[in-house]
Amino acid sequence: MTSKIECVIRQAITTFSGSYTSKAFHDNLIKLKRNANELDARSIGLDFRLLRWDTYELNNNLDKLSGSTYIRRHQAPVTYIEVFEDENVSIGVFVLRDGAKIPLHDHPYMYGVLKVIYGKVKIQSYTPVHKNYSQINDCNIGAIKLAPIIVGETDDPCVLCPVEGNIHQVDTIDGPAAFVDILAPPYKTDIPEVGDRCCRYFKEVNISKDTKLAIISNPKDYWSDTAPYTGPQFNINFEHKT
């Protein structure tokens, strides 16, 4: 029987391997949301110890305490679990410990599907006034601040668009949280006539009652580590049909 995560991977490949403007793309995106909505913490094999600040299974730079329990010397507020990536799509899991956040950042010309599988998060999104990323530089940029939303395990997946609501921040609500993140194209892929598709961080500044976002360096209070994927194995060696 095909696992839920394999269904998501296969549908993500189908959705993002062709044109993003065709009717087939939008139909496939709906199917991808439906498949992603079936995911939960157990279906991707989430190690619940990752949700805690104090202990979890042996990894790099850990001190042995007793038996199979270990503690990090410098544990990051966020852990990323890579599930799958190719030239068209990346799929992973972000684990945010209690009080952690993913700071305000962008996804240049990328689509995304975010499905919470544990806890709740608040998502604050902004739409840049300039639709052309080549015109966004180190200066303050105009932005439209959207109403924040709170998303939990029982809610439908959120969809990130290439421009609308493309800049966002994710905060935990009332405890740790985890979500599956599907992005296409992946970071570091090329934007024609612009260059690498890099993640940039922002802060909100208000000038003459207008909302502006300033590009900033990587926030010092945010860093992440990685953990291995421990969920169901999958086979994606299939011929894609457009």
Side-chain angles (χ1 to χ4, degrees), residues 106-109 126-143 162-163 166-167 191 194 198 200-202 213-216:
D106 66 349
H107 309 77
Y109 297 135
Y126 300 77
T127 296
V129 173
H130 279 296
K131 310 304 182 188
N132 189 338
Y133 268 90
S134 64
Q135 298 178 17
I136 297 179
N137 50 37
D138 292 337
C139 300
N140 296 336
I141 64 171
V163 176
N166 187 270
I167 302 172
I191 304 174
V194 176
C198 297
R200 295 172 296 183
Y201 293 98
F202 298 82
L213 298 178
I215 298 174
I216 62 174

Side-chain angles (χ1 to χ4, degrees), residues 2 4 7 11 13 36 48-49 74 80 84 89 109 114 119 148 169 187 233 240:
T2 303
K4 293 178 179 179
C7 290
Q11 185 59 46
I13 293 171
F48 289 94
R49 290 172 294 182
H74 303 290
Y80 181 71
F84 173 84
V89 63
Y109 297 135
L114 183 157
Q169 176 168 308
Y187 282 117
Q233 296 302 300
H240 170 63

Side-chain angles (χ1 to χ4, degrees), residues 28 32 35-36 40 42 53 57 80 83 88 91 124 137-138 153 157 182 192 198 204 213 218 222 224 226 232 239:
N28 280 317
L32 178 58
N35 287 344
D40 56 27
R42 297 192 181 279
W53 279 104
E57 189 178 11
Y80 181 71
V83 177
N88 296 309
I91 301 174
Q124 176 63 68
N137 50 37
D138 292 337
E153 301 167 48
I182 305 168
C198 297
E204 181 179 331
L213 298 178
N218 292 8
Y222 171 73
S224 62
T226 61
E239 183 179 354

Side-chain angles (χ1 to χ4, degrees), residues 102-241:
I102 299 179
L104 195 59
H105 63 285
D106 66 349
H107 309 77
Y109 297 135
M110 297 161 72
Y111 273 94
V113 176
L114 183 157
K115 171 58 182 174
V116 175
I117 58 172
Y118 186 91
K120 292 187 296 184
V121 298
K122 181 180 78 170
I123 303 175
Q124 176 63 68
S125 300
Y126 300 77
T127 296
V129 173
H130 279 296
K131 310 304 182 188
N132 189 338
Y133 268 90
S134 64
Q135 298 178 17
I136 297 179
N137 50 37
D138 292 337
C139 300
N140 296 336
I141 64 171
I144 300 170
K145 187 175 184 178
L146 307 181
I149 61 172
I150 294 177
V151 187
E153 301 167 48
T154 61
D155 294 306
D156 291 341
C158 300
V159 174
L160 175 81
C161 295
V163 176
E164 301 297 325
N166 187 270
I167 302 172
H168 69 206
Q169 176 168 308
V170 182
D171 292 82
T172 55
I173 298 290
D174 300 328
F179 60 86
V180 175
D181 199 43
I182 305 168
L183 291 176
Y187 282 117
K188 301 301 182 183
T189 57
D190 186 62
I191 304 174
E193 301 180 3
V194 176
D196 284 348
R197 200 180 306 268
C198 297
C199 176
R200 295 172 296 183
Y201 293 98
F202 298 82
K203 68 176 180 179
E204 181 179 331
V205 293
N206 295 309
I207 301 175
S208 301
K209 298 183 180 180
D210 294 328
T211 298
K212 300 281 187 178
L213 298 178
I215 298 174
I216 62 174
S217 58
N218 292 8
K220 294 181 179 179
D221 61 348
Y222 171 73
W223 72 101
S224 62
D225 58 15
T226 61
Y229 170 69
T230 57
Q233 296 302 300
F234 47 81
N235 177 17
I236 50 83
N237 294 321
F238 68 100
E239 183 179 354
H240 170 63
K241 297 180 180 180

